[in-house]
Amino acid sequence: MPTARRSAAFDPISPDLDLDALVQQTPNFEYVTRISCDMIETQGLETFEKLVLLHVLIGGKPLVIEGFHKRLDEWTFTSAWLQDNHGKKFENARNLSKQTNMTVSIGHYLSNMNKLTNQWNRHNYRDRDRQRLYLKDIDCPQVWHDKLREVVPPSIFYLNDSTGDVGGPGSVDEPNPHAPGLRKSRGVARAGDLMSCLPPAMRAENLMCYIGHEGTYTPAHREMCASLGQNLMVETSGTLDPDGKPTKPGSSIWFMTESKDRHLVSEYWLSTLGHDIEVEAHFAQINAWKSAPFTTYIVEQKLGDFILIPPLAPHQVWNRGTRTMKVAWNRTTVETLELALDEALPRARMVGRDEQYKNKAMVYFTLARYSELLKHVDRQKESVSDHQLLLDLRYSPKIRQLQKDFRRLFSLYTRVLLAEALPHNPRDDKKIQYLPFDGNVTCSFCRCNIFNRFLTCPSCIIPLENGEEDTYDICLECYAMGRSCKCISGYKWVEQFKWQELTDKHERWRQQIVVFEGGLTDKSALPLHMEQQYMKKKSLAAVCQEQLRLRPWNDPKKPPSEPKLKKDADESQVNADGTVKKRKAQVIEKGQMKNHVSNYPEPAWKLSACKCGRAYSYGNLFRAFDTMPLTVMEDLDWQCPHCLRICSCGKCRKVAGMQPFEPTGTVLGYDTRRVADPRSTESLVDFKQSNFEWVKKAGDDSEDSRRLSRRVDEAEAAKSRGPALDDDHYVNEGEDTFVTNGHNESESPMAQTNQDDFPIDPQLGGLPSTGTSNVSRPIHRTHESGDDNDLQDGESQDPPHLFVAPSAVMLDQRHLGGGFTTDENGIVFQYPDPTDPDPTVPQYAPPQVEQRVQPAKGSDQSKKGKRSRSDARDHIQSDMLDPNAANEQYHKAQVKRTLAEARRNDRYIIAEAAMSGKSLLVKLGVDKIRLAQIVNQTPAQTTRPIKANNVIVQSDYPSPSSKINPLNNPMKRARLEQDDEFSTKRNRRRKSGQQPTDNLTKKASKYMAISSGSEAEEDMDGDIGHAQDRVPKPRQLPAYLARKSDVGDNEIPKELTSEPKQRPSRRKSVTSRPRDSTKKAEESLEDIAAAAEANRRAKLRALQWDDDDSPEDEPEPKSLSDKRPTEESKKMPASKPLNVTRIQNGTSSIHSKPKAPITPGSVPVSIFSKGKKIRVASAKSSTKPNMMNGNSSRHSLGV
C-alpha cells in the first residue's frame, strides 16, 4: 500500500457519451434552468435584472439564456471571418496533455481543428499522449465586441457603467453622436460592472474568446475574485464545414454547482478527491460528480446559449465536436466585492493566485464616482421646479438602490482603512515613504494587488538592465503570515495615498450618507477614530509593526549559519558501570521558549505565548486548531488551546475535562515556491505541510468524515433561508413582483407562461417554497447520527453510486498502470510516486477495456432513477418549450442552405449522404485477368501512419534566431514575364523618338520567391522550381551541347564560308592560335561550325510566335551580314561555304554541296519562318569545356 495520500486521476469523457441518459439516470444531476432571450423584451429589463439578482447573485444558482444565435450576425461570428481577419495573429494555445503553451497563429489552429478532432474515438479517448490544444484567453476582436453590445442586455454586458433608463431621473442633455442636436442621457443608477469605475489604465481586460475541439477542457475552478461569470456560445461546427467536409457538431458540457454549496464542494475536493479547487488543476471524473454529496447542474451549451455563472460556484467545462467558439467576460458588483474581500482574496493569497481585478481600488474609485452622481441628484433637486420631477428624484428606485450600494461600499472602505491604520506616532509617520498610486504594485509573494500601504525591503533590490530596480514588496497580510524575503525584518513602510487624504474622503462620504438617510440613527456610520476605538483588536498594520520589532534581521550578504544538530531523543547514554545516565534538562537559551506540542525550545518570535506560560508554534495552531497567525496576533487577550480546554496534544489528551479539538477542514498544503519571488521564504508556518496527522489523531480519516458532514449541514442551512431581498441592502418595491400570464407568484407554486415564457422559482420573490424536491441525495452522517432507520421522508436508503449509467465508462483496475486504483464509487485514484520530482502530473497507461453496466429493465435501480428525475422536473416540463427547439429549427435552416449550395456545385448526393449518414454500395464489373492482378498486387498504404509522439499540430511561429530550413519552409522561384507594352524602357523610347536598336544578347530573366502553400503558388501554372536542401552537384551540360556530343563525324562541316564572322569571339584560343598552324586552325573552325549549327538548331526549337502585326511592338533585328568584319575574323583562312538546305523532321541537314550559298548571318528559309515574325529566346552562356577539343566555345546566331 503506498504511503502517500491518494488523489483522483484525470479520466476523459467519451466522445459518444449520452448526456441525456446520464442526467436522467443520476439522482443528483439536474439540468440548469433555461429562459428564452425573447422573454427579456417581453418581461422587461427591470424584471430580468431582478431575476439575475435573485436567482444568480443571491440564490447562487446558474442560469441559461438561449436563442442568442438568432440575433448574432451570421457572417461575422464564424470561423471563416475570424480566419480571414485575424488568421495571422499569433496566440498561445494551451497543450493540456503536456501542460505547456504553444505559439500558433489563429488561422493555423482553425485549419487543423478537424484533424485534432478526428483523432479521438471511443477506443483511444483515454490516450494521454495525444494533443489537446485549447486556444483560450485570447483577446476578443473589436468587431465582435461592438456587435455583442447591440445584442446582449446592457445591464449584464462588459464594462457597463450605468443601468439607468434613457431619459430617467437624473438624466441630462448630451450631444447626439449620430445626429445633430442633443439627446437625453441615461438616468442616475448603479453600474452593471464596477470595473468601469476604475481608470482605463487600471482595468482588467477580461473580454476573452475560447476556441476548442473535442477533448479540450477547463478544470474545475471558481471565477476570479468572486466575480459573476458570463459565457456565450457564438459559433459551433455543424455536420459540414463551409468547404463541404464532414465535421462533428460542436457543444460544451458544463458541470456546475451553486454558491451555497461552495464550502461543501471545496471540502469534497480536498478530502475525497485529494485536490485543491483553488489551484485549478483537476478535471473531475463523471463518477466523482455522481458520488458527490451535492447537486450537480448540467448544461449542454449549444449555439446561442448564454450562461450566467454564480460567484464562487465551482464548475468545469468539456468541449465536444470539431469546433466550439465562446466569448466570455466577468462582472463585478457590490455583492461580489463583499465575497472577494471575505473569501476569495484570502483563498487566492494562500495559493499565490493573481489578483487582476484590484478589488480594494475598485471600492475606492466606485465610491468616488457614486458620490459625484449623488451630488448631481442633489443639485437637480434644488434646481427643479416641477413637482413630479422632484418626486421622481426623491423616490426613484434606481437612485435609492444607488444610495444603498454606496452605503455598502462605504462599509468595505472603512474595513480597508481600519486594517491599514497605524497607531498615531508623528515620528513613525515621517518615516513612511510616499509612492504615487498607479495601481500596479503587487505583492512579491502572493501577487495580489496592493491598494495603499505595504512593506519593502531596502536590502533586496536587484538593478535591471533598463535602469529600473526590482524591489521586494510584501503586502501586510503576507507579512503577518510569516512570509517575507530572506531578511525577515528590517522593512520600510510605503504608502500610495496620503493618509490624511483617505481619512478626509472617508468623513465626507460619511456625511453624505447621513444626509440621504435623513440624519443620524443607530445604524449610521461612525467616524474613523470611533471605529478604531470599537474595533477591540489590533489592526493589521499594527500587527506588522509589532512583528518588525520581534523578528530578527538576517544579512543577505552573509552565508547562512549552519543549524545546530539536535541529539536524538531516543539515544541513551550509559556510565562506566553500564548504568543509564540521567538525561539533563534541556537548556533554554536566551530568546527561546519551549513549544508546548513538541516540547522542544524554539525562537520566541516563532511562538505565541499565553498568559499561562505555555507557547504554541504558529504551524501547530494553523494545522491542528484551524487558527491563522493573524488571528492570534491581533487578539488583545489571546488564550491558548490548553486554557480553552481544547488542546489535542499527547499530554493534554490525558487531562480530565479536556475536549481535543478536531480540524474542521482538510489542508493539503501548497508549495508557493512555483509562483512566489525566488527571494521569498516562510518563517512562521510551512504551508506546504498538510494536517493529515492531526486528522488521524482525531479519528476522522474515514471516507464518510465528520468534516464533510458538517459542510453538508451548513449548506442545507444556507439553502433553507432562501433568496430574499434584504431591506437594508435592496429596494423591494411592491409593484416589482413578477407577473406572468395574468397571475402573480402567490397564486401558484411555479409561475408559468405560455410556450416561450420562462418559469420563475417562487423563492425568487421571497415566498416560501410549497414543496421539496424528491431527488435522492447521498447522506453523510456523523457517528452520533444513529442507524439507518432514522431516514427522513424523501431520502433514499440506496447509495446513489450503485447505479452506473450506460454511457458512463468504468475503468478496469486490471488495466490501470502502476500507482492507480479504483474505489467502490468507480473513481480512479492516483498514488504519486515518491521518486517522481513532480507528483502532480499523473502518468499511467490508459485502459482499453470498457465496462458498461446496464440495469435490468424493471429493476429497482432503473425505476428509482427515472422516478427521481421525473419528479424533480415535472413542474417545468408541462408548459415549457423544448430547450433544444430553437437550435433544431436553426439547424434545419442551416442544412437547407448547405444542400442548396451543394446542388449548385453538383455535390448534392455527396453532401446529403454525409449529413444523413447514408451509404451506397456500388458494384463494378472487373475483368478476371485484371481482378487477379489487383488481388495479387501489394496493397498500398492508404492511411497515414501515426507519429510516435502523436503530434498533429506544430507551432507555425517563425523563430528569429533559427535559420530557415528549406525543407520546413520550401521556397519556389516563379518567372516574371515582362510586358513590353507597359515597359519603362519602351515608354522612354517612344517619348524621345529613339528607334529601337538591335539587342542580340539575352535579357536577364527576373524571378520572385514564393512561399510553399501561399496563394501565389496556386496561381502559377508550373514555372516554379522547388529549392532543394542538398549539397550542390556539378551542373549538367546544356541541351544543345548534349545534342552536339551525340552528332556523328559525318555531319560535322569541314569548312566555313569565306565571309568572316561579324561578331568577335570570346574564345581566347582563337586569338592566341599561331598563324602558321593551318591544320589546327581548320580543326578549330570545324568545331566552331558544329557549335554554331547546334546553337542554331536549339534556337529553332525555342521559337516563339508573335501574332502582333504592329511593327512598333517587335522590331526586326538586322542581319549579321550588315556588320563589318572584325580584324580577328579577317586573319582566319578561307573555307568552303556552310549551307543549310532544308529541315527534315524537325532537324536540319548539312550538305557539302549546297544548292545556293548561305552566309552564317542569313535566315534560313523554312516552314517555321514563312509569313511570321520570330522571337528567339537565346540560350544561357555556358562555361563547360568543349567535349571535342577541350576548349570552351559558344556561338549564337540571331534569327
Side-chain angles (χ1 to χ4, degrees):
M1 186 69 180
T3 58
R5 186 175 179 83
R6 65 181 187 176
S7 59
F10 169 69
D11 186 23
I13 297 179
S14 175
D16 58 352
L17 172 68
D18 189 353
L19 186 61
D20 292 334
L22 177 64
V23 176
Q24 291 292 335
Q25 302 295 342
T26 307
N28 63 328
F29 279 11
E30 292 184 7
Y31 278 114
V32 176
T33 303
R34 285 176 172 264
I35 65 173
S36 174
C37 64
D38 298 333
M39 291 307 301
I40 299 177
E41 299 178 355
T42 305
Q43 298 282 345
L45 284 177
E46 294 184 1
T47 305
F48 173 71
E49 292 174 6
K50 191 171 184 180
L51 173 65
V52 174
L53 175 65
L54 287 171
H55 187 80
V56 182
L57 280 174
I58 301 177
K61 295 182 179 180
L63 180 68
V64 178
I65 309 171
E66 60 184 10
F68 274 101
H69 62 279
K70 302 176 183 178
R71 306 183 179 185
L72 296 176
D73 186 6
E74 61 180 358
W75 302 105
T76 304
F77 293 94
T78 60
S79 60
W81 183 93
L82 188 64
Q83 190 166 12
D84 294 340
N85 294 272
H86 299 273
K88 297 181 180 180
K89 184 180 180 181
F90 287 92
E91 298 287 353
N92 288 328
R94 185 65 175 174
N95 189 346
L96 300 176
S97 302
K98 304 296 183 181
Q99 294 299 316
T100 56
N101 291 333
M102 177 188 297
T103 303
V104 296
S105 62
I106 296 179
H108 183 62
Y109 179 80
L110 293 175
S111 302
N112 291 276
M113 294 193 73
N114 207 357
K115 297 179 181 178
L116 293 169
T117 302
N118 294 335
Q119 66 176 331
W120 303 106
N121 53 52
R122 56 178 300 183
H123 302 289
N124 65 356
Y125 70 93
R126 287 196 176 97
D127 192 349
R128 302 182 65 87
D129 296 331
R130 295 180 180 270
Q131 278 187 322
R132 303 178 187 268
L133 291 182
Y134 197 6
L135 199 61
K136 57 188 302 186
D137 295 331
I138 65 175
D139 295 333
C140 179
Q142 185 62 34
V143 177
W144 286 13
H145 171 270
D146 298 337
K147 290 186 176 294
L148 287 175
R149 184 188 294 274
E150 302 172 358
V151 175
V152 179
S155 59
I156 61 176
F157 190 64
Y158 177 62
L159 292 180
N160 173 263
D161 57 353
S162 177
T163 57
D165 300 329
V166 176
S171 61
V172 296
D173 295 332
E174 63 179 9
N176 191 350
H178 305 291
L182 300 176
R183 68 175 184 180
K184 283 291 184 180
S185 65
R186 290 187 176 272
V188 174
R190 62 177 181 175
D193 185 5
L194 298 186
M195 184 73 69
S196 61
C197 299
L198 288 175
M202 294 177 55
R203 296 172 184 172
E205 302 293 337
N206 57 23
L207 184 64
M208 301 295 179
C209 292
Y210 297 81
I211 307 175
H213 59 85
E214 175 73 45
T216 56
Y217 60 90
T218 300
H221 67 286
R222 313 173 195 258
E223 293 300 320
M224 181 177 292
C225 298
S227 58
L228 177 64
Q230 297 170 140
N231 193 292
L232 175 61
M233 183 76 78
V234 297
E235 202 268 347
T236 59
S237 58
T239 55
L240 288 176
D241 62 359
D243 298 333
K245 299 179 181 178
T247 56
K248 298 180 180 179
S251 63
S252 297
I253 303 176
W254 291 63
F255 298 84
M256 310 183 71
T257 59
E258 54 182 306
S259 298
K260 296 181 179 179
D261 285 335
R262 61 183 182 273
H263 301 298
L264 174 59
V265 176
S266 178
E267 182 59 33
Y268 177 73
W269 241 250
L270 292 168
S271 60
T272 304
L273 303 183
H275 293 276
D276 191 349
I277 203 169
E278 302 296 336
V279 182
E280 302 181 4
H282 176 63
F283 183 88
Q285 311 166 24
I286 292 181
N287 290 329
W289 290 100
K290 293 167 61 178
S291 304
F294 49 81
T295 302
T296 301
Y297 296 92
I298 304 298
V299 178
E300 185 176 9
Q301 186 185 20
K302 296 184 179 181
L303 182 63
D305 288 348
F306 186 33
I307 301 179
L308 301 183
I309 307 163
L312 291 179
H315 57 280
Q316 67 182 25
V317 188
W318 182 270
N319 296 320
R320 308 178 75 183
T322 302
R323 183 178 60 259
T324 59
M325 299 174 61
K326 299 183 283 285
V327 177
W329 65 93
N330 292 70
R331 289 194 302 122
T332 304
T333 63
V334 179
E335 295 82 5
T336 62
L337 278 179
E338 292 176 343
L339 293 174
L341 296 181
D342 292 338
E343 297 184 32
L345 289 184
R347 292 177 179 270
R349 189 175 292 111
M350 289 293 297
V351 300
R353 188 181 181 186
D354 287 335
E355 182 199 354
Q356 300 180 2
Y357 290 175
K358 304 176 178 62
N359 293 272
K360 295 181 180 179
M362 200 180 302
V363 172
Y364 174 80
F365 285 99
T366 305
L367 277 172
R369 184 173 183 275
Y370 281 7
S371 176
E372 295 298 328
L373 291 177
L374 294 175
K375 290 179 182 179
H376 170 72
V377 173
D378 294 339
R379 288 192 296 267
Q380 282 194 347
K381 289 180 182 178
E382 296 174 357
S383 62
V384 69
S385 58
D386 190 354
H387 181 67
Q388 183 62 36
L389 295 179
L390 182 60
L391 292 179
D392 293 342
L393 291 174
R394 287 183 177 178
Y395 302 104
S396 172
K398 292 185 178 296
I399 296 179
R400 292 172 58 191
Q401 185 61 53
L402 178 66
Q403 295 173 350
K404 291 183 178 293
D405 288 356
F406 185 79
R407 180 67 173 85
R408 296 174 70 176
L409 290 170
F410 181 78
S411 300
L412 298 178
Y413 181 66
T414 303
R415 288 174 49 184
V416 173
L417 293 187
L418 290 176
E420 296 186 358
L422 284 169
H424 180 65
N425 189 350
R427 227 177 249 183
D428 295 340
D429 294 344
K430 294 180 180 179
K431 297 180 181 179
I432 300 178
Q433 301 177 7
Y434 174 71
L435 178 68
F437 179 80
D438 61 355
N440 296 323
V441 179
T442 58
C443 178
S444 299
F445 200 107
C446 69
R447 302 190 296 177
C448 287
N449 184 261
I450 299 176
F451 170 62
N452 184 29
R453 285 180 171 174
F454 61 94
L455 298 171
T456 183
C457 181
S459 303
C460 297
I461 299 177
I462 301 177
L464 301 178
E465 296 180 356
N466 56 1
E468 298 181 358
E469 294 179 346
D470 183 12
T471 59
Y472 189 90
D473 304 327
I474 194 77
C475 66
L476 303 183
E477 290 83 358
C478 281
Y479 191 76
M481 295 165 58
R483 295 172 169 178
S484 63
C485 63
K486 301 296 191 303
C487 299
I488 299 179
S489 184
Y491 285 79
K492 301 296 182 182
W493 285 92
V494 184
E495 64 181 8
Q496 304 179 74
F497 291 94
K498 294 295 184 181
W499 186 253
Q500 189 64 35
E501 177 187 353
L502 297 178
T503 55
D504 291 345
K505 289 187 177 181
H506 181 274
E507 183 61 25
R508 288 199 301 268
W509 292 339
R510 189 189 70 86
Q511 294 291 342
Q512 200 171 358
I513 294 174
V514 171
V515 170
F516 66 68
E517 285 185 349
L520 293 173
T521 61
D522 296 339
K523 298 181 179 179
S524 298
L526 299 176
L528 187 62
H529 66 277
M530 296 185 66
E531 294 283 359
Q532 289 179 307
Q533 295 177 2
Y534 293 124
M535 194 166 55
K536 295 182 180 180
K537 64 178 182 179
K538 301 176 185 178
S539 65
L540 176 61
V543 169
C544 294
Q545 192 178 42
E546 180 182 356
Q547 291 297 315
L548 283 173
R549 293 193 297 264
L550 295 177
R551 300 177 189 178
W553 178 74
N554 296 332
D555 190 356
K557 299 180 181 180
K558 294 182 179 180
S561 59
E562 297 181 359
K564 297 181 179 180
L565 298 177
K566 297 180 180 180
K567 295 183 179 180
D568 191 356
D570 298 333
E571 182 180 356
S572 300
Q573 298 181 2
V574 296
N575 297 320
D577 55 356
T579 59
V580 179
K581 290 183 178 180
K582 293 183 179 181
R583 295 183 179 179
K584 297 181 180 180
Q586 295 180 354
V587 179
I588 300 178
E589 300 177 358
K590 184 179 179 180
Q592 290 185 342
M593 295 184 68
K594 183 180 291 186
N595 189 349
H596 176 71
V597 177
S598 63
N599 203 25
Y600 275 97
E602 295 184 13
W605 61 274
K606 291 187 177 182
L607 303 175
S608 178
C610 181
K611 295 180 179 179
C612 64
R614 297 177 178 85
Y616 287 76
S617 67
Y618 292 103
N620 291 332
L621 292 174
F622 172 70
R623 286 183 288 270
F625 303 100
D626 296 345
T627 305
M628 290 291 293
L630 179 60
T631 306
V632 179
M633 297 173 183
E634 67 183 4
D635 196 346
L636 298 174
D637 188 16
W638 179 74
Q639 292 182 345
C640 66
H642 186 274
C643 296
L644 296 176
R645 316 301 295 175
I646 58 172
C647 186
S648 57
C649 67
K651 295 181 297 182
C652 295
R653 285 180 180 272
K654 303 176 183 179
V655 177
M658 190 72 65
Q659 297 180 356
F661 181 84
E662 294 185 7
T664 59
T666 304
V667 178
L668 290 179
Y670 184 72
D671 189 2
T672 56
R673 291 177 296 182
R674 301 178 181 179
V675 295
D677 193 285
R679 297 167 286 183
S680 304
T681 185
E682 293 176 343
S683 56
L684 293 184
V685 181
D686 187 5
F687 290 99
K688 297 187 297 295
Q689 303 296 328
S690 64
N691 66 343
F692 293 153
E693 295 297 329
W694 295 100
V695 170
K696 290 181 181 179
K697 289 181 180 180
D700 193 23
D701 57 342
S702 61
E703 293 291 337
D704 192 6
S705 63
R706 295 186 292 273
R707 291 167 285 125
L708 201 59
S709 301
R710 281 191 285 270
R711 303 301 185 194
V712 173
D713 297 338
E714 293 174 0
E716 294 296 335
K719 295 176 185 178
S720 62
R721 291 189 288 268
L725 293 179
D726 187 4
D727 294 337
D728 294 337
H729 296 159
Y730 301 99
V731 177
N732 190 9
E733 297 291 337
E735 62 271 12
D736 289 341
T737 57
F738 293 94
V739 179
T740 56
N741 206 20
H743 302 280
N744 57 23
E745 300 171 35
S746 60
E747 297 178 1
S748 61
M750 176 63 67
Q752 290 284 347
T753 62
N754 295 329
Q755 294 182 358
D756 294 338
D757 293 353
F758 55 86
I760 300 175
D761 196 332
Q763 292 183 352
L764 299 182
L767 299 177
S769 179
T770 58
T772 58
S773 176
N774 296 327
V775 178
S776 301
R777 189 172 298 173
I779 306 299
H780 292 261
R781 306 176 184 81
T782 60
H783 292 282
E784 295 84 4
S785 60
D787 53 9
D788 295 337
N789 296 329
D790 297 335
L791 295 176
Q792 299 178 0
D793 295 339
E795 296 179 351
S796 175
Q797 297 182 1
D798 298 331
H801 58 264
L802 294 180
F803 174 78
V804 180
S807 57
V809 180
M810 304 291 291
L811 293 180
D812 192 347
Q813 186 175 351
R814 296 173 298 176
H815 296 271
L816 291 175
F820 284 81
T821 58
T822 56
D823 65 350
E824 63 277 5
N825 297 332
I827 304 177
V828 182
F829 287 94
Q830 168 208 1
Y831 290 93
D833 187 0
T835 61
D836 189 2
D838 189 7
T840 60
V841 181
Q843 301 291 336
Y844 75 99
Q848 300 296 334
V849 179
E850 300 178 355
Q851 297 180 357
R852 298 179 179 268
V853 182
Q854 176 70 36
K857 294 183 178 180
S859 61
D860 295 338
Q861 291 179 348
S862 178
K863 292 180 180 180
K864 182 193 69 174
K866 294 181 179 180
R867 182 174 61 254
S868 300
R869 290 297 308 142
S870 60
D871 294 341
R873 302 181 64 194
D874 56 356
H875 59 284
I876 63 175
Q877 290 292 340
S878 57
D879 299 330
M880 188 175 180
L881 183 66
D882 185 8
N884 296 326
N887 294 335
E888 293 178 358
Q889 185 177 2
Y890 174 78
H891 179 68
K892 291 180 180 179
Q894 187 178 12
V895 169
K896 186 177 180 179
R897 290 195 301 267
T898 305
L899 291 178
E901 181 68 21
R903 188 187 299 275
R904 289 191 296 266
N905 298 333
D906 296 334
R907 294 186 295 103
Y908 180 80
I909 298 178
I910 300 176
E912 198 274 338
M915 297 174 65
S916 60
K918 297 179 181 179
S919 60
L920 179 64
L921 297 179
V922 180
K923 295 182 179 181
L924 299 177
V926 183
D927 184 55
K928 294 182 179 180
I929 301 177
R930 179 57 181 164
L931 180 61
Q933 295 177 355
I934 295 175
V935 172
N936 298 329
Q937 184 180 2
T938 303
Q941 185 177 2
T942 58
T943 59
R944 186 177 181 181
I946 300 178
K947 298 181 181 180
N949 54 359
N950 292 327
V951 175
I952 296 178
V953 178
Q954 295 181 353
S955 175
D956 60 338
Y957 184 77
S959 177
S961 59
S962 61
K963 297 181 180 180
I964 299 177
N965 189 357
L967 290 180
N968 296 334
N969 189 15
M971 303 297 294
K972 299 184 178 182
R973 298 176 68 244
R975 186 191 300 254
L976 291 177
E977 299 204 3
Q978 184 175 358
D979 194 345
D980 296 333
E981 184 67 24
F982 297 96
S983 175
T984 305
K985 296 182 179 179
R986 187 71 176 177
N987 296 335
R988 289 176 182 174
R989 293 171 183 171
R990 290 180 179 177
K991 291 180 181 180
S992 60
Q994 181 182 359
Q995 295 297 328
T997 58
D998 296 339
N999 187 11
L1000 301 179
T1001 59
K1002 181 186 174 183
K1003 297 180 181 180
S1005 300
K1006 296 183 179 180
Y1007 296 88
M1008 73 173 180
I1010 298 177
S1011 301
S1012 178
S1014 62
E1015 296 180 357
E1017 179 194 5
E1018 299 176 358
D1019 299 336
M1020 305 307 296
D1021 295 330
D1023 297 337
I1024 304 173
H1026 291 271
Q1028 302 294 332
D1029 185 21
R1030 59 188 179 186
V1031 180
K1033 297 181 180 180
R1035 295 191 180 187
Q1036 298 179 358
L1037 289 174
Y1040 72 95
L1041 290 180
R1043 286 190 296 271
K1044 185 197 69 169
S1045 61
D1046 296 334
V1047 178
D1049 295 338
N1050 297 329
E1051 297 180 353
I1052 298 178
K1054 300 299 182 181
E1055 56 184 19
L1056 293 176
T1057 59
S1058 59
E1059 186 177 355
K1061 178 72 174 175
Q1062 304 296 331
R1063 184 177 179 182
S1065 176
R1066 297 182 183 178
R1067 294 173 65 253
K1068 295 181 181 180
S1069 58
V1070 175
T1071 58
S1072 62
R1073 184 183 301 111
R1075 297 181 181 179
D1076 54 351
S1077 57
T1078 307
K1079 185 177 181 181
K1080 293 182 179 181
E1082 291 178 356
E1083 294 177 356
S1084 299
L1085 291 175
E1086 293 176 358
D1087 297 341
I1088 294 173
E1093 177 59 17
N1095 186 21
R1096 191 192 64 79
R1097 287 185 295 176
K1099 288 183 177 295
L1100 289 177
R1101 292 188 179 91
L1103 292 179
Q1104 298 181 4
W1105 299 100
D1106 190 358
D1107 297 331
D1108 193 359
D1109 296 331
S1110 176
E1112 296 182 357
D1113 294 343
E1114 188 65 31
E1116 296 185 5
K1118 296 182 180 180
S1119 176
L1120 290 178
S1121 59
D1122 297 340
K1123 293 188 178 181
R1124 295 181 179 180
T1126 60
E1127 296 296 330
E1128 294 179 358
S1129 60
K1130 291 180 179 181
K1131 298 177 182 179
M1132 298 175 62
S1135 59
K1136 296 181 180 181
L1138 177 63
N1139 301 315
V1140 180
T1141 59
R1142 64 183 179 277
I1143 298 178
Q1144 298 176 354
N1145 299 328
T1147 61
S1148 60
S1149 301
I1150 303 175
H1151 301 273
S1152 57
K1153 295 181 179 180
K1155 297 181 180 179
I1158 301 177
T1159 59
S1162 61
V1163 180
V1165 180
S1166 65
I1167 60 174
F1168 297 101
S1169 60
K1170 289 183 178 180
K1172 290 289 184 180
K1173 290 178 301 189
I1174 301 172
R1175 180 184 302 161
V1176 179
S1178 59
K1180 293 183 178 180
S1181 61
S1182 176
T1183 57
K1184 297 293 180 180
N1186 194 310
M1187 300 181 63
M1188 298 180 65
N1189 56 7
N1191 297 324
S1192 60
S1193 62
R1194 181 180 181 273
H1195 284 260
S1196 58
L1197 295 175
V1199 179

